[in-house]
Amino acid sequence: MLKAAQDMASTTGAQLVTELQQIVGNHHVLTEEGATLPYRRGFRFGEGRALAVVMPGSLVEQWRVLQACVKAGVIVIMQAANTGLTGGSTPDGNTYDRDIVIVHSMRMRTIHLIGGGKQVVCLPGATLDQLETMLKPIGREPHSVIGSSCIGASVFGGVSNNSGGALVRRGPAYTDMALFAQVSPQGELQLVNHLGIELGADPEDILRRAEEGNFPDASINWHAGRGHDDGYATHVRDVNADTPARFNADLQRLHEGAGCAGKLGLFAVRLDTFEAEKDPVVFYMGTNQTDVLEDVRRHILSEFKELPIAGEYLHRDAFNIAEKYGKDTFVIIRMIGTSRLPAMFAMKNAFDRIADRIGFLPKHFSDRFMQFMSHFFPQHLPARMRDYRDRFEHHLMLKVSASGAQEARDFLKSHFATHEGEFFECTPDEGAKAFLHRFAAAGAAVRYRNVHTDTTENIVALDVALRRNDRAWFEVLPKDIEDEIIVKLYYGHFLCHVMHQDYVVRKGYDCVALEHRMLPGLDRRGARYPAEHNFGHLYQAPEDVLAHYRQLDPCNCFNPGIGQATKRRNWVAESVG
């Protein structure tokens, strides 16, 4: 009987693959294991099986793909750039009760400007870098700039995961306005238009008009909802609050597509854009006392007339690792910008697949080669930054608008006249390099791991939201945990009290067990995690968030297992024993 069931499943899967090929074309349906691997394996974590990877080229094709998948009763994982860090856009192992189809959306990269560019409507494959480039000529910018855009992250990824980013005033990526597919409790696929734009009644007509940007002025409701979290700038200023400023389990910032974690089939999101800052000023601080930076944070948030643009923290160890293992990333971005990086990453992945098949080349050969080549690049960091690295353990980069520069300048002079540490005002080139170096740190741990496979087990990566009133923000680990770690990388969005903590674990130690030993300490501190990378398959979502996911996806057919929930159809509890 088991064999008969397996044969039936195999036949149904083959029929579905044929139907998907008819919808999008044979070339855009991948089934061979090597070809699907880049889509089944996460950027930093996660890997599993999949029946197929399908790449629709239009919203109507995506709708038809979802219809076919829902009718066939398979799992759908919606995937954009696959740059997430917690495995939330890839399968997790092989413990699912149904076949999986990954719907990879990066062929649909259209962005429509509305309201003279004050808002945008983005389709599934639009990237942050693409949006940033489109808005620059009209003097505007998206919610997030640089950082994730360096590796081709999608707009949808940020919205779906409440990604926060570095910009202090804007909070997590958020919108009330989206166009999405949802499966009803009866198992029927429905199209929901909450874009605030009248597009008709027939699903395929709605999707064609959304793709074409067919938005007459009379069709746009300018009061349909918020295109960003417009209360965050006030929220983050409350430095005496006993709760974090932003974290993924905050139900106030979960609404339909925003924070959906792939539990809906998104087709379009409508977002606010922002006036670009002209001639911002960057101040660079160094100190050996954490209280000095905490006093800076509290004063800036509570007393400054104008909030800074960004405030980024970098520990000396992260500085050093990024200087060595993020050097090629830094240099390449300085040379060619971010727009060509997605293509370069695709080439790198293709090369690694070939190298793996050859067999005699070492694992992660491209990383090893690039690390070797980086030794021939000239020194890339300014002398003043390197001097501060030698003298100070803790570094803070503060970016302010031109209108807020004098207030920041006066305060920092006064503050460091009576406190340990120093600061300097960056030249425009130094400021750009300081922030780029900070963001290079995010990938440096991965490079370190890939180059040192003989001594490293893997990476434990935490993104932690500390309480807004927490003065003891710098982590001190127990010795038994410290002994299992080779290097720790601490960096983060300091004014928001969101810290990224990457631990490179020594060979032979259990990374999952080590992480579980770390979490109770964070709980005792009142921290919340994850802060902005979302739960993926690494973190357990609290019950109220799981209830939200069940409301979005009552059949558990979109991205099951997120937040370590059951992977079974209709949210049936996992069997025990």
Side-chain angles (χ1 to χ4, degrees), residues 112-147:
H112 301 297
L113 304 183
I114 59 176
K118 291 183 178 179
Q119 287 190 336
V120 292
V121 174
C122 296
L123 301 196
T127 66
L128 291 171
D129 178 79
Q130 176 191 359
L131 180 55
E132 192 174 340
T133 301
M134 178 177 285
L135 292 173
K136 189 173 183 178
I138 61 174
R140 300 192 71 81
E141 61 186 22
H143 170 272
S144 299
V145 296
I146 205 166

Short mmCIF file of all heavy atoms in Angstrom, two decimals, residues 112-147:
data_model
loop_
_atom_site.label_atom_id
_atom_site.label_comp_id
_atom_site.label_asym_id
_atom_site.label_seq_id
_atom_site.Cartn_x
_atom_site.Cartn_y
_atom_site.Cartn_z
N HIS A 112 6.66 50.59 -10.35
CA HIS A 112 5.90 51.73 -10.86
C HIS A 112 5.95 52.88 -9.85
O HIS A 112 5.70 52.67 -8.66
CB HIS A 112 4.43 51.34 -11.09
CG HIS A 112 4.23 50.22 -12.06
ND1 HIS A 112 4.58 50.30 -13.38
CD2 HIS A 112 3.71 48.97 -11.87
CE1 HIS A 112 4.28 49.17 -13.99
NE2 HIS A 112 3.76 48.34 -13.09
N LEU A 113 6.29 54.07 -10.33
CA LEU A 113 6.23 55.26 -9.49
C LEU A 113 4.83 55.84 -9.56
O LEU A 113 4.24 55.94 -10.65
CB LEU A 113 7.24 56.31 -9.98
CG LEU A 113 8.70 55.90 -10.09
CD1 LEU A 113 9.55 57.09 -10.51
CD2 LEU A 113 9.22 55.32 -8.79
N ILE A 114 4.29 56.21 -8.42
CA ILE A 114 2.99 56.90 -8.39
C ILE A 114 3.12 58.14 -7.52
O ILE A 114 4.00 58.22 -6.65
CB ILE A 114 1.85 55.99 -7.89
CG1 ILE A 114 2.12 55.48 -6.47
CG2 ILE A 114 1.65 54.82 -8.84
CD1 ILE A 114 0.97 54.66 -5.89
N GLY A 115 2.25 59.10 -7.77
CA GLY A 115 2.30 60.34 -7.00
C GLY A 115 3.60 61.09 -7.20
O GLY A 115 4.13 61.67 -6.23
N GLY A 116 4.12 61.08 -8.42
CA GLY A 116 5.38 61.77 -8.67
C GLY A 116 6.56 61.11 -7.98
O GLY A 116 7.60 61.76 -7.76
N GLY A 117 6.43 59.84 -7.65
CA GLY A 117 7.52 59.12 -6.99
C GLY A 117 7.45 59.15 -5.48
O GLY A 117 8.33 58.60 -4.80
N LYS A 118 6.41 59.75 -4.92
CA LYS A 118 6.27 59.75 -3.46
C LYS A 118 5.87 58.37 -2.94
O LYS A 118 6.05 58.07 -1.77
CB LYS A 118 5.25 60.80 -3.03
CG LYS A 118 5.73 62.23 -3.26
CD LYS A 118 4.73 63.25 -2.74
CE LYS A 118 5.26 64.67 -2.95
NZ LYS A 118 4.32 65.70 -2.47
N GLN A 119 5.34 57.55 -3.85
CA GLN A 119 5.06 56.17 -3.52
C GLN A 119 5.47 55.31 -4.72
O GLN A 119 5.63 55.80 -5.84
CB GLN A 119 3.57 55.94 -3.19
CG GLN A 119 3.16 56.50 -1.84
CD GLN A 119 1.75 56.05 -1.45
OE1 GLN A 119 0.92 55.71 -2.29
NE2 GLN A 119 1.50 56.03 -0.15
N VAL A 120 5.62 54.01 -4.44
CA VAL A 120 5.95 53.06 -5.50
C VAL A 120 5.07 51.83 -5.33
O VAL A 120 4.63 51.49 -4.22
CB VAL A 120 7.43 52.65 -5.47
CG1 VAL A 120 8.32 53.80 -5.83
CG2 VAL A 120 7.82 52.07 -4.10
N VAL A 121 4.83 51.16 -6.45
CA VAL A 121 4.22 49.84 -6.45
C VAL A 121 5.27 48.88 -7.00
O VAL A 121 5.71 49.03 -8.15
CB VAL A 121 2.94 49.79 -7.31
CG1 VAL A 121 2.42 48.36 -7.40
CG2 VAL A 121 1.88 50.72 -6.73
N CYS A 122 5.70 47.95 -6.17
CA CYS A 122 6.77 47.03 -6.54
C CYS A 122 6.20 45.64 -6.78
O CYS A 122 5.35 45.16 -6.02
CB CYS A 122 7.81 46.95 -5.42
SG CYS A 122 8.68 48.51 -5.12
N LEU A 123 6.71 44.98 -7.82
CA LEU A 123 6.34 43.60 -8.12
C LEU A 123 7.35 42.65 -7.49
O LEU A 123 8.37 43.09 -6.95
CB LEU A 123 6.24 43.42 -9.63
CG LEU A 123 5.23 44.31 -10.37
CD1 LEU A 123 4.96 43.77 -11.76
CD2 LEU A 123 3.93 44.49 -9.61
N PRO A 124 7.12 41.34 -7.54
CA PRO A 124 7.85 40.40 -6.68
C PRO A 124 9.36 40.38 -6.81
O PRO A 124 10.06 40.08 -5.84
CB PRO A 124 7.25 39.05 -7.06
CG PRO A 124 5.87 39.35 -7.51
CD PRO A 124 5.98 40.66 -8.22
N GLY A 125 9.91 40.66 -8.00
CA GLY A 125 11.36 40.56 -8.17
C GLY A 125 12.12 41.86 -8.01
O GLY A 125 13.35 41.88 -8.16
N ALA A 126 11.43 42.94 -7.69
CA ALA A 126 12.09 44.23 -7.55
C ALA A 126 13.09 44.19 -6.39
O ALA A 126 12.79 43.68 -5.32
CB ALA A 126 11.07 45.33 -7.32
N THR A 127 14.28 44.74 -6.60
CA THR A 127 15.31 44.75 -5.57
C THR A 127 15.46 46.13 -4.96
O THR A 127 15.10 47.15 -5.57
CB THR A 127 16.67 44.30 -6.12
OG1 THR A 127 17.14 45.26 -7.07
CG2 THR A 127 16.57 42.93 -6.78
N LEU A 128 16.03 46.16 -3.77
CA LEU A 128 16.28 47.44 -3.11
C LEU A 128 17.25 48.29 -3.92
O LEU A 128 17.08 49.51 -4.02
CB LEU A 128 16.84 47.20 -1.70
CG LEU A 128 15.88 46.60 -0.69
CD1 LEU A 128 16.63 46.23 0.58
CD2 LEU A 128 14.76 47.58 -0.37
N ASP A 129 18.25 47.66 -4.48
CA ASP A 129 19.21 48.41 -5.28
C ASP A 129 18.53 49.01 -6.51
O ASP A 129 18.78 50.17 -6.88
CB ASP A 129 20.35 47.51 -5.71
CG ASP A 129 21.36 48.22 -6.58
OD1 ASP A 129 22.19 48.96 -6.03
OD2 ASP A 129 21.30 48.06 -7.82
N GLN A 130 17.69 48.23 -7.16
CA GLN A 130 16.95 48.70 -8.34
C GLN A 130 16.07 49.90 -7.97
O GLN A 130 16.02 50.90 -8.69
CB GLN A 130 16.11 47.56 -8.89
CG GLN A 130 15.21 47.91 -10.06
CD GLN A 130 14.22 46.79 -10.36
OE1 GLN A 130 14.24 45.74 -9.70
NE2 GLN A 130 13.36 46.99 -11.34
N LEU A 131 15.38 49.79 -6.85
CA LEU A 131 14.50 50.88 -6.40
C LEU A 131 15.31 52.12 -6.05
O LEU A 131 14.93 53.25 -6.40
CB LEU A 131 13.68 50.41 -5.20
CG LEU A 131 12.71 51.41 -4.58
CD1 LEU A 131 11.75 51.96 -5.61
CD2 LEU A 131 11.96 50.75 -3.42
N GLU A 132 16.45 51.91 -5.38
CA GLU A 132 17.31 53.03 -5.02
C GLU A 132 17.79 53.76 -6.27
O GLU A 132 17.80 54.99 -6.33
CB GLU A 132 18.50 52.50 -4.21
CG GLU A 132 19.33 53.54 -3.52
CD GLU A 132 20.40 52.92 -2.63
OE1 GLU A 132 20.28 51.74 -2.27
OE2 GLU A 132 21.37 53.64 -2.31
N THR A 133 18.18 53.00 -7.29
CA THR A 133 18.66 53.57 -8.55
C THR A 133 17.55 54.34 -9.27
O THR A 133 17.78 55.42 -9.82
CB THR A 133 19.22 52.47 -9.46
OG1 THR A 133 20.29 51.80 -8.78
CG2 THR A 133 19.72 53.03 -10.77
N MET A 134 16.33 53.80 -9.25
CA MET A 134 15.21 54.44 -9.93
C MET A 134 14.83 55.77 -9.26
O MET A 134 14.46 56.74 -9.93
CB MET A 134 14.01 53.50 -9.95
CG MET A 134 12.77 54.08 -10.60
SD MET A 134 11.39 52.91 -10.67
CE MET A 134 11.94 51.84 -11.99
N LEU A 135 14.93 55.80 -7.94
CA LEU A 135 14.49 57.00 -7.21
C LEU A 135 15.54 58.10 -7.17
O LEU A 135 15.20 59.28 -6.99
CB LEU A 135 14.11 56.62 -5.77
CG LEU A 135 12.87 55.75 -5.60
CD1 LEU A 135 12.72 55.31 -4.16
CD2 LEU A 135 11.61 56.49 -6.06
N LYS A 136 16.79 57.74 -7.35
CA LYS A 136 17.88 58.71 -7.18
C LYS A 136 17.73 59.94 -8.09
O LYS A 136 17.92 61.08 -7.63
CB LYS A 136 19.22 58.03 -7.42
CG LYS A 136 20.42 58.90 -7.06
CD LYS A 136 21.71 58.11 -7.16
CE LYS A 136 22.90 58.96 -6.72
NZ LYS A 136 24.17 58.19 -6.77
N PRO A 137 17.37 59.79 -9.37
CA PRO A 137 17.27 60.98 -10.24
C PRO A 137 16.19 61.97 -9.80
O PRO A 137 16.24 63.14 -10.19
CB PRO A 137 16.95 60.39 -11.62
CG PRO A 137 17.44 58.99 -11.56
CD PRO A 137 17.21 58.55 -10.14
N ILE A 138 15.20 61.51 -9.03
CA ILE A 138 14.15 62.43 -8.59
C ILE A 138 14.35 62.85 -7.13
O ILE A 138 13.45 63.42 -6.51
CB ILE A 138 12.75 61.83 -8.79
CG1 ILE A 138 12.58 60.53 -7.97
CG2 ILE A 138 12.48 61.57 -10.27
CD1 ILE A 138 11.15 59.98 -8.02
N GLY A 139 15.53 62.58 -6.60
CA GLY A 139 15.87 63.06 -5.27
C GLY A 139 15.15 62.35 -4.14
O GLY A 139 14.93 62.94 -3.07
N ARG A 140 14.81 61.08 -4.37
CA ARG A 140 14.14 60.32 -3.32
C ARG A 140 14.86 58.99 -3.11
O ARG A 140 15.72 58.60 -3.91
CB ARG A 140 12.66 60.10 -3.67
CG ARG A 140 11.89 61.41 -3.85
CD ARG A 140 10.39 61.20 -3.92
NE ARG A 140 9.81 60.80 -2.63
CZ ARG A 140 9.51 61.64 -1.65
NH1 ARG A 140 9.75 62.93 -1.77
NH2 ARG A 140 8.95 61.20 -0.54
N GLU A 141 14.51 58.30 -2.03
CA GLU A 141 15.14 57.03 -1.73
C GLU A 141 14.14 56.10 -1.08
O GLU A 141 13.12 56.54 -0.52
CB GLU A 141 16.37 57.23 -0.84
CG GLU A 141 16.09 57.86 0.50
CD GLU A 141 17.36 58.16 1.28
OE1 GLU A 141 18.44 58.27 0.65
OE2 GLU A 141 17.28 58.30 2.51
N PRO A 142 14.40 54.77 -1.11
CA PRO A 142 13.48 53.80 -0.51
C PRO A 142 13.65 53.73 1.00
O PRO A 142 14.49 54.40 1.59
CB PRO A 142 13.89 52.49 -1.17
CG PRO A 142 15.34 52.67 -1.50
CD PRO A 142 15.51 54.12 -1.82
N HIS A 143 12.85 52.86 1.60
CA HIS A 143 12.90 52.67 3.05
C HIS A 143 14.29 52.26 3.51
O HIS A 143 14.81 52.75 4.51
CB HIS A 143 11.89 51.60 3.46
CG HIS A 143 12.03 51.15 4.88
ND1 HIS A 143 12.88 50.12 5.25
CD2 HIS A 143 11.45 51.59 6.02
CE1 HIS A 143 12.82 49.95 6.56
NE2 HIS A 143 11.95 50.82 7.05
N SER A 144 14.93 51.33 2.79
CA SER A 144 16.25 50.84 3.15
C SER A 144 17.24 51.19 2.06
O SER A 144 16.93 51.10 0.87
CB SER A 144 16.22 49.33 3.36
OG SER A 144 15.34 48.97 4.40
N VAL A 145 18.44 51.56 2.47
CA VAL A 145 19.51 51.83 1.51
C VAL A 145 20.76 51.09 1.96
O VAL A 145 20.98 50.87 3.14
CB VAL A 145 19.83 53.34 1.38
CG1 VAL A 145 18.64 54.08 0.80
CG2 VAL A 145 20.21 53.95 2.73
N ILE A 146 21.57 50.68 1.00
CA ILE A 146 22.78 49.86 1.16
C ILE A 146 22.48 48.69 2.09
O ILE A 146 21.36 48.24 2.21
CB ILE A 146 24.02 50.71 1.53
CG1 ILE A 146 25.28 49.99 1.09
CG2 ILE A 146 24.05 51.12 2.96
CD1 ILE A 146 26.52 50.86 1.10
N GLY A 147 23.48 48.16 2.77
CA GLY A 147 23.23 46.99 3.62
C GLY A 147 22.81 45.81 2.77
O GLY A 147 23.55 45.31 1.95
#
